[in-house]
Structure formats: structure tokens, C-alpha cells
Amino acid sequence: MDSVPSDDRAAEPIAFTYNPERISVIRALISEAYSAATSHHDIASTIFKEQGQEDSNIQAEIREVASTFYYRLHLERGPGSKPGATLEPLSETGTSYFWPRPIRGVGPEILKLWNELLSESIEPEIQGLLADLLFSARHPKPHIYARRAVEAYVAAQGGNFSQLDKSVMLVRAWSILRPLRLKDLEPSVEEAMMALTESTLRAEVSAPGVVLPILRCLLEGRLKEKRETKQAYIPAEAIDHLFSALDRYKADHLSMQLAYMARDCLSDKELIDLALRKAASNLLEAAEQATEGHSKTHWLQQAAKFARKFHLDDIQRECVRRLQAIDPSTFQWMTIRTASTIRPSDIESYLRIFDQPHLVDALIRFFDTPSPTGSRRENEKIAKHIIDNSLTHKIMGTATYGTHGLPQKSYGTDSEKLLYQINGIENVSLGMQGEILSAALDRMADTHVIPSTGDLAAWLVERYGSDPGLCTSLAESLLLYWGRDYLSCIQLAMPRVEAAVRSILLLLDEPIYRVEEDKSLGQFPGLGTMLPLLDKYGFDPDWSSFIRALLLTPGRNLRNLGAHGFLQDVDKQTAALVLRALSVVALLAPEETSKKACALRESLPFATGPTRTAFFDRVLLALSSRLNAILSARLVKP
């Protein structure tokens, strides 16, 4: 790692004074350190070991000489990065006690040292760095130092530094000569780049970190004459190396980076298409070699996304075909279970609130239960705690798979990871609350005579003043549940959740209808679009989160799964949760004859009325929070 020992950074600095009589000693010190070094960093580390000198002036001298070799050549890597390399210290934000200092902040004593060392007969790797430092510091006549730096970096290709360091030195030489238009030096830099690239590509173990930065420079083409408008000439050998690299480096990020180079630099459409297809073929080849389902899925997804981006329609279709054909048995799924500390007696104590003399009284209690996903604010705190205390969550993305067995969505950014983690916590709550809600409904059916749909709907309208159509749907759904037809129950109830939200927004006079435009038909938006609009009017965020977690992505996505025929078997816990979702919005929507927008606005923040936090509900929320806290603690463990 490029770093100056922390003790040296923190120590009180001793002023360095240039002494020309010490140059020969310093020169010998550098030569000795260079003899066994493979990088500038090695030279600095060796020199720093001489810090034990008692003379404070010599200590300051050793510190400054060693710090000289802690400046580094830096280049950006990855798709979209610009070609070239910069010379910089390890930190641009350090204090005056931080070495090495920013180059423009170096004092005259250090500049004298660098200039005098450069005049000595020294190795090209050292000569290149010193000349580069003087050029970057804008020492008098910087163009002279620029030329010396370029020449020295080229000459250093015969030295003992690592291939990676040689590559970066050549890229730095290219970066210096381009803006200064040193055309007479361009052939020697290009020749050295070609030689290093070719030897690396032919090596038994080939390092892409050596080849790709050089290729990006070569594909920029040669310097043009001033006022010349035609595209810069790219040597044919550089294009050959590009395709050789595509044949050699088949990792997804390398193949795609090379393909982007071709797209950005080449003008021949056939060559660009060939490069893009080679990159896509590399991804398909990796998928073919993978035997585990997740690995195969990863490669095919990467290939499909890449092919779609560059309109390689035939390759995209092939990727999707192979993706659909993956054997489900090749996925190595792992199930994580956590034991609950909730005692059966705790649940039984809560369920007793539904032991009422009349069914309608039990239903009133059911409609007053809190959000099955708990507090959105508390869930977000737990999710942040999990991410902040888990290295895996910080550095790795996550992908979810749908009921159809295919990858559905990836979560890579910090905000996406937080959203995914919140959903995971909500899903745990849904599992537990679904058990309790279904037990409550079963208890009602075992205790009371079930009324007809008409009688139950009439009571709902009379009790809650709600829309008769929605109340009828809720009543029918309840009877389907009690008849143990859970699939029919949610098939009826789920679309009516969306209808209830739409009805509320229309009563609030919210303009939601999408008028016809071009080929798009005029229509109302879907639930995912309307819920945020309802939130704007103060709809309880706990309930809004519950509906999203149950019916939309990144939650269980029951709404779309049901609409597209993927729900074939539904358990009673899921049916109970859907009923709870319908009840909370259906009972908020007033009937047409009594609609009052002001009263509706006032009721939105209290979706289950003022009794929502009754004693037993607080007990249930506390138990849920306890379970979520246990889950978060276990997920944080490595």
C-alpha cells in the first residue's frame, strides 16, 4: 500500500536545508535503495529505514529524499475513464506535516535538491520522476524537464521495475507529450508502448492492468498537425492488439472496457461491431463454462444487458433463451432461519382481543390492528444499523429472484441497498403478522356464524360510511377466506386495493388521469404511481410501506405476480395480509353521498383510527420490534 509510516507523518517536522556537499551521499543512498527496488515506492521504503540517525539535519534530509519517491503516477481505470496518467502525492488534503506535500507547495530548498540530483548521472526511473516533479512544479524552463521526463520514462523500459510500473510510466510520458505537442518524441513512446503491449499479451500470465491503459492511449491516435480536421491516425498494430486483448481477457469488466474503447475511438463501423460482438461472446462463453445456476445467471444477464445496450438483437435473444433454460436444480440456495423469542403465550394473549361476543366486534378489532410491517422509521433505523456494521452489505450488491425463478432486480447503490434491507425487515414482520392475522380470522370463523355477503357489506357501510362497492368486495373477500378459497380471496381483493386508492385520490381532487398521447392510451396510473400521491396528503407512512412491501417491488410484488398468472397457490397468511391491505384503504374511502375531502384528509394520517395504539397493539409492536432486532443482530455477524 502506498503510505508513509504514520509516525513520520505525525512527528513535528524538522526544517530541511539544502546542502550541496551532501549530494554525493544522497546519490549513494538512492543508488543503494534502487538496486533492489521494483518501484519508486520500494526506494522510498528503503530510504525511510535510515531515519534512526541522531543528527536532526540528516533526519530531515532522509525524510525529504524518501518523500520524493512517495509521489506516485496515478491513472484512472474502468469504463469511461480518460486516457493518461497524473503525478500526485498520496494526499492532496494533508497538512503541512503531511509528506509528500502537494507538488505546487514544495519549497525552493526541495526544488534545489531535485534539480541537483537530476544533474547527476542517475538511473532512468529516478531521472524520469525527478524531471516530472520539476516539470509539474513549473520550475524555470519546464519544457526542458518535460522532454527529459518523457525520454527517461521510455529508457526505463529496460530496467528492473515491474511491468505495471513500466506501463504507467509510458502512459505518463504520453500524457506529457500530448498537450505540449512533442511530436518528435511520439514515435519512441509509441514504439515502447507497442513492445510492452505485445510482450504482455504473449506472456503465459498476462496482466490486463499493463495492457488496457496503454491501449486506451494508442487508440486516441497520433498527434495531428495544427488545423487538421480529419480523424487522428490509429496505427493498425494498435487495433490488432485491441482484438488480441479481447481474445485474451474475457472477464466481464475487461471485455466491456475494451469494447467501450473500440466504440469511443474507432471510426470503422464494422470493426466496432466486431469488437462489441467479441465482448458479448466472451460473456456468453463464461456463462457456458459456469455450472452453478447463480454464476450462469450472472454472465447471461451481463451479456443480455450489454447486447441490448448496443442493439445486438440476435445475441440478446440468445442470452434470454439460455437464461430461461437454466436448470432450477443448479441454484445453490441457502435458507437462513432465526429463532423467535416470542412465546406462544404472548401470541395467545394478543389473540384474546378477538374473542368478542359478536363477529362485528371482532372485525372492528381486526380493522384496528397496526400495520403488519411495523414502524417505517424503526425499520429504517434497523436497516441502516445492519448496513453500517456489515462489510458484506457495504461492498457487495444484491439481486432478487422472482416467483418465476429468474433474476428480477439488482441493488447496487447505497440507497438501493437500504431499500432492499428495509424490505427484508418488513418481510420478516409480514411473515409473523400474517400468522397472527390469519389466526384471528380463523378464530372468528370457529366462534361465530358467518353472515351473508349482503349483510356484512351493509354493516361495513353503516359502521364506516365507506364506499358500498368497496365494502361489498371486502365482504366477499372475507367470506372467500372463511371458505378457505385463499387464491380466489386475493384475486378479488388485490385489484380492489388499487381501486380504493384511486377512489380516495379522486375524492381529494388529485389530477391522476393520463390523457392520450401519441400511441399511449388515456388511462389511470397503477398503484405504484398512486401511492406516493396519497403519501403527499399525509397517508400514514407505516401503512403505505405495508402496501408496498406486500403488493409492489421490491416487496413481495403480489399485484404483478397475480396479474401475470404466477400465483398458483396461496397460503392463508398471505390472504389475511391482502385482506388487511384492502380493509385499511377500502374503509377510508367514503361513499359518494357523504364524501367530504376535508374529513378524508384528516383521516389519512390515522388509517386505523385513534385506537390504533391500544395496549395489546403496543404489545404486538414490541414483540415485532424484538424479532426484527434479533434478525438485524444475526445479519450483521460475518
Side-chain angles (χ1 to χ4, degrees), residues 29-286:
L29 182 65
I30 294 173
S31 295
E32 184 179 353
Y34 169 81
S35 63
T38 59
S39 68
H40 292 119
H41 182 278
D42 289 348
I43 297 174
S45 299
T46 302
I47 294 174
F48 252 119
K49 293 176 182 178
E50 302 294 326
Q51 275 286 80
Q53 301 286 341
E54 294 182 2
D55 189 319
S56 59
N57 291 324
I58 294 178
Q59 286 184 17
E61 179 182 280
I62 291 173
R63 181 197 68 218
E64 295 297 347
V65 173
S67 295
T68 297
F69 296 97
Y70 272 122
Y71 288 98
R72 64 178 178 180
L73 297 175
H74 172 75
L75 51 84
E76 293 184 13
R77 300 177 185 272
S81 60
K82 294 181 178 180
T86 56
L87 179 64
E88 59 184 31
L90 298 180
S91 173
E92 291 284 2
T93 59
T95 66
S96 59
Y97 308 135
F98 193 105
W99 291 285
R101 304 178 185 90
I103 298 173
R104 295 295 182 89
V106 170
E109 297 293 294
I110 306 301
L111 292 173
K112 289 179 184 177
L113 172 66
W114 289 348
N115 196 40
E116 190 62 32
L117 284 172
L118 184 60
S119 66
E120 296 277 313
S121 176
I122 54 177
E123 295 79 5
E125 294 90 343
I126 298 171
Q127 184 180 152
L129 177 62
L130 291 170
D132 200 348
L133 285 168
L134 290 165
F135 163 67
S136 300
R138 295 298 184 262
H139 203 52
K141 299 182 179 180
H143 63 283
I144 294 177
Y145 297 111
R147 297 187 71 89
R148 291 196 64 177
V150 172
E151 292 168 346
Y153 283 143
V154 172
Q157 298 304 299
N160 294 326
F161 273 22
S162 70
Q163 296 290 87
L164 185 60
D165 282 273
K166 292 179 179 180
S167 170
V168 179
M169 284 191 283
L170 286 177
V171 173
R172 176 59 182 164
W174 182 89
S175 301
I176 294 172
L177 73 85
R178 296 284 287 192
L180 298 178
R181 299 190 61 79
L182 305 176
K183 292 194 69 173
D184 60 312
L185 297 179
E186 186 178 35
S188 62
V189 173
E190 181 182 298
E191 182 181 355
M193 283 182 159
M194 293 291 190
L196 181 57
T197 302
E198 183 174 0
S199 63
T200 306
L201 286 171
R202 290 182 176 179
E204 185 175 349
V205 178
S206 182
V210 173
V211 173
L212 268 65
I214 292 179
L215 270 179
R216 185 63 184 85
C217 297
L218 290 173
L219 292 173
E220 281 290 297
R222 293 173 182 165
L223 284 168
K224 299 186 294 183
E225 297 292 341
K226 289 184 177 180
R227 299 180 182 178
E228 190 176 0
T229 57
K230 66 179 182 180
Q231 186 176 4
Y233 173 75
I234 300 174
E237 190 178 355
I239 298 175
D240 291 340
H241 288 332
L242 169 67
F243 284 96
S244 296
L246 277 166
D247 290 334
R248 187 73 191 264
Y249 307 131
K250 298 190 176 183
D252 52 355
H253 63 287
L254 297 176
S255 286
M256 288 189 284
Q257 191 173 338
L258 289 164
Y260 293 145
M261 287 185 195
R263 179 200 61 180
D264 295 339
C265 301
L266 302 183
S267 58
D268 189 320
K269 292 183 178 179
E270 290 186 3
L271 287 176
I272 294 172
D273 185 69
L274 180 59
L276 295 174
R277 288 182 174 276
K278 272 185 171 289
S281 296
N282 286 344
L283 302 178
L284 278 172
E285 182 180 334

